[in-house]
Amino acid sequence: MKKIIVLTGAGISAESGLKTFRDADGLWEGYAIEDVATPEAWQRNPALVQQFYNERRRSVLAAQPNAAHLALKKLEEKFEVLIITQNIDDLHERAGSSNMMHLHGEIVYARSSQNPALLYKLDKPDIEMGELCELGSQLRPHVVWFGEAVPMITKAMHEMPLADMVILIGSSLVVYPAAGLLELARKEVPVYVVDPKIPEVRISNPLIKIEEKASLAVPLLVEKLLKHE
């Protein structure tokens, strides 16, 4: 079975109604990134950070997978598929994709603010201040903030050279270390780039650019790949 690695960014979830991480004005849902998405913000005002991610979690739970998410599940009929996503939502999982890697965490989980390995699947939208892990420390969102290590990046780096094909969907390729993953694909491997505004891609691989929304382009691409496999 050929292995396809799909790299997804905020663009694929935007079509499900979730705002992209950083809008043109540099804000995320009206907040400065530095105030809600850094360890320093958590130290300064944990209640604000908690509230912000509770709101994001509610938005995620209200959203539905779109045609692009659903199409990627179909790829598993004939390919070994690994989706490496920068997104913290669970729309790929709800669309049925079975092999996932979340580089920046998963908002539907809480984690200990003392031990990052202690994770708790949430059965409600909010994490309350005063909710503690088993070690007695405050629960926080299971997301990677600016300035924090990206625990899954090493595993993702090991996977990239194993791909027979790469599909990049809805990523501006500006957030590192995730943006560097494409460079690890073998040079003969074709790379499909799907985005209404194609980012600059600095690799020597065969590039197939599809300048279109993911919900329109991905189902067509998947049908083409399944047909020719």
Side-chain angles (χ1 to χ4, degrees), residues 28-87:
W28 185 15
E29 294 284 5
Y31 292 85
I33 302 298
E34 297 76 16
D35 292 337
V36 291
T38 64
E40 293 77 18
W42 177 254
Q43 292 298 321
R44 283 195 309 269
N45 193 342
L48 175 64
V49 175
Q50 199 80 272
Q51 173 194 325
F52 176 80
Y53 282 96
N54 285 344
E55 292 170 1
R56 303 292 69 72
R57 193 177 299 106
R58 288 176 178 273
S59 297
V60 166
L61 294 174
Q64 296 298 321
N66 62 54
H69 295 105
L70 297 169
L72 291 174
K73 163 61 179 173
K74 290 187 68 179
L75 271 181
E76 295 182 14
E77 293 173 10
K78 292 189 178 180
F79 298 94
E80 178 189 350
V81 180
L82 169 62
I83 298 177
I84 302 175
T85 187
Q86 295 172 262
N87 300 333

